[in-house]
């Protein structure tokens, strides 16, 4: 489900079925890194949108967690932990973070949710159908990761 | 003096009512449009969209076909890719089923559940459907999979807008 009123309405009537929250994470930077930043964001957005389509009925796609790349890492982590607390108290059993930022790997242990790191793929020179098949092949691997997690804590 | 005040108040009242009325109209207009709009656009839904699948390549085994079309979402136009599961039934009729689970909308696939290789399976809450799209009793889905109306043009399969399956025993 997406973060739109219609989906949230469905969510509130079917909470027991929607036990997974997905949070896209990407940083924002300006200057020289602007383009890379945008490209990462684009990739994560496309990927999570597609993922949501596959698993509409079981996961809620939360708005992305964004931060300035130049900010203090510890502060950013604390911020995300606050998100995590809030999401946990609202009955989500599984939390997945999806990001292309390798830095998050260092903080994996401090988070309750599962961190999924993917290398960002450059999409700028692809047409729509190429984009789709590229993202799709990435998501395929994620799908099994999700189903696995669901099976573990059944 | 007092005459002045009254007239000023009146003036204010009039202008405010005027402005208020204006604002109300401003709010009302789009609302009326929202109410009418779906009727106006309903016609466009009848379009059939070409898929890359050739009619002669359709077999008895459900196969996945993706097709892309333009969708208008408010002012935002985007290319949307939809999927259908297509096969020929025993009577040689072409069947095209929507992959959207009738429970909560996950994407179902053919034969992905090892225990039930000849069914459609929803990974989210283990919903199952038989080949003709009928939901298996005891699994979460409460209705059969939607069906796409089909057309043939130049040897290619064209699909319309998926509709709920007409009632069955
Ligand atoms: S969404 Fe398919 S079984 Fe729940």
């Amino acid at each position: 489900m997406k973060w739109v009123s219609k989906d949230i309405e469905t969510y509130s009537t079917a909470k027991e079925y929607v036990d997974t929250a997905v949070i896209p994470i990407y940083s924002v930077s300006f200057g020289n890194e602007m383009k890379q930043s945008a490209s990462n964001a684009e990739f994560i957005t496309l990927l999570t949108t597609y993922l949501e389509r596959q698993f509409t009925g079981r996961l809620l796609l939360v708005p992305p967690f964004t931060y300035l790349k130049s900010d203090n890492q510890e502060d950013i982590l604390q911020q995300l932990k606050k998100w995590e607390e809030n999401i946990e108290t609202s009955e989500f059993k599984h939390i997945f973070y999806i990001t292309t930022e390798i830095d998050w790997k260092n903080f994996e242990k401090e988070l309750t949710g599962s961190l999924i790191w993917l290398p960002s793929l450059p999409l700028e020179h692809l047409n729509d159908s190429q984009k789709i098949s590229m993202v799709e092949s990435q998501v395929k691997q994620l799908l099994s990761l999700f189903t696995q997690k669901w099976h573990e804590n059944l | 003096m007092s005459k002045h005040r009254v007239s000023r108040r009146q003036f204010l009242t009039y202008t405010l009512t005027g402005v208020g009325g204006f604002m109300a109209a401003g709010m009302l207009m789009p609302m009326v449009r929202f109410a009418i709009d779906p009727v106006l656009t309903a016609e466009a839904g009848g379009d059939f969209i070409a898929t890359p699948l050739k009619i002669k390549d359709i077999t008895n085994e459900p196969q996945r076909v993706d097709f892309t079309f333009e969708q208008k979402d408010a002012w935002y136009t985007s290319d949307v890719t939809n999927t259908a599961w297509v096969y020929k039934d025993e009577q040689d009729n072409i069947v095209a089923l929507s992959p959207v689970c009738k429970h909560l909308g996950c994407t179902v696939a053919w034969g992905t559940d090892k225990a039930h290789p000849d069914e459609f399976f929803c990974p989210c809450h283990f919903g199952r459907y038989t080949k003709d799209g009928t939901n298996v009793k005891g699994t979460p889905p409460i209705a059969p999979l939607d069906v796409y109306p089909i057309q043939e043009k130049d040897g290619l399969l064209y699909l319309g807008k998926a509709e709920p399956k007409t009632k069955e025993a």
Side-chain angles (χ1 to χ4, degrees):
Chain A
M1 288 168 196
K2 295 185 281 296
W3 197 257
V4 296
S5 48
K6 193 176 125 251
D7 283 11
I8 299 303
E9 213 170 281
T10 321
Y11 164 71
S12 44
T13 60
K15 268 191 182 162
E16 67 274 31
Y17 289 107
V18 190
D19 64 354
T20 305
V22 172
I23 306 166
I25 300 181
Y26 51 81
S27 69
V28 176
S29 34
F30 294 89
N32 290 339
E33 291 181 350
M34 213 158 151
K35 190 160 169 212
Q36 187 57 44
S37 167
S39 157
N40 290 352
E42 187 184 358
F43 174 70
I44 287 293
T45 309
L46 216 67
L47 187 106
T48 46
T49 312
Y50 187 77
L51 185 73
E52 190 275 335
R53 246 179 77 159
Q54 299 301 307
F55 288 146
T56 308
R58 182 131 186 202
L59 63 79
L60 177 66
L61 182 58
V62 176
F65 177 80
T66 59
Y67 54 93
L68 282 172
K69 194 155 193 177
S70 49
D71 259 359
N72 178 293
Q73 286 195 330
E74 193 54 36
D75 292 349
I76 301 168
L77 178 66
Q78 290 317 318
Q79 196 67 33
L80 183 64
K81 277 187 168 168
K82 257 188 243 161
W83 278 48
E84 191 165 68
E85 267 166 42
N86 276 278
I87 292 171
E88 273 179 335
T89 46
S90 64
E91 309 162 55
F92 285 98
K93 257 202 266 157
H94 309 277
I95 302 176
F96 287 93
Y97 302 104
I98 302 187
T99 186
T100 61
E101 316 273 345
I102 191 80
D103 297 349
W104 283 101
K105 273 276 164 204
N106 304 329
F107 301 123
E108 200 173 2
K109 291 207 182 63
E110 305 205 31
L111 298 166
T112 327
S114 323
L115 183 80
I116 299 174
W117 175 83
L118 298 151
S120 177
L121 301 174
L123 298 168
E124 50 183 328
H125 301 301
L126 303 179
N127 66 31
D128 276 355
S129 64
Q130 288 170 321
K131 270 187 205 173
I132 289 172
S133 55
M134 195 152 182
V135 167
E136 208 170 287
S137 62
Q138 295 277 312
V139 170
K140 266 221 188 89
Q141 302 170 32
L142 290 190
L143 296 187
S144 49
L145 223 147
F146 275 72
T147 38
Q148 217 179 323
K149 262 275 178 321
W150 288 338
H151 270 290
E152 270 173 30
N153 330 38
L154 214 59
Chain B
M1 248 324 235
S2 78
K3 229 168 93 195
H4 251 141
R5 219 179 3 231
V6 170
S7 74
R8 182 190 288 150
R9 179 178 298 160
Q10 268 176 349
F11 172 74
L12 272 176
T13 319
Y14 288 149
T15 28
L16 284 182
T17 321
V19 172
F22 213 67
M23 277 161 54
M27 277 164 64
L28 212 64
M29 285 300 285
M31 271 152 72
V32 171
R33 266 202 25 225
F34 281 142
I36 298 176
D37 240 12
V39 184
L40 295 177
T41 49
E43 229 178 356
D47 291 344
F48 279 79
I49 294 145
T51 71
L53 184 63
K54 294 198 187 77
I55 295 283
K56 66 170 169 48
D57 292 340
I58 300 175
T59 63
N60 293 113
E61 183 74 7
Q63 59 177 305
R64 191 185 135 175
V65 54
D66 291 338
F67 57 104
T68 304
F69 58 96
E70 217 174 59
Q71 179 172 289
K72 264 220 174 85
D73 201 358
W75 61 86
Y76 183 75
T77 318
S78 55
D79 279 338
V80 178
T81 300
N82 269 357
T83 298
W85 286 97
V86 183
Y87 66 92
K88 267 191 193 131
D89 67 10
E90 273 96 71
Q91 286 82 44
D92 256 5
N93 295 319
I94 295 169
V95 180
L97 296 174
S98 151
V100 179
C101 183
K102 297 299 272 188
H103 178 221
L104 288 171
C106 291
T107 304
V108 307
W110 173 254
T112 39
D113 180 20
K114 286 189 192 76
H116 307 276
D118 293 326
E119 288 180 359
F120 290 99
F121 178 64
C122 177
C124 284
H125 316 100
F126 317 122
R128 282 157 47 204
Y129 303 84
T130 54
K131 190 172 173 183
D132 63 355
T134 311
N135 47 308
V136 173
K137 289 253 149 54
T139 69
I142 36 152
L145 293 172
D146 285 354
V147 182
Y148 290 103
I150 55 163
Q151 265 179 18
E152 179 179 350
K153 222 191 261 172
D154 309 323
L156 286 180
L157 178 73
Y158 277 64
L159 298 177
K161 204 169 177 302
E163 294 159 354
K165 192 169 178 176
T166 34
K167 204 77 205 125
E168 228 184 310

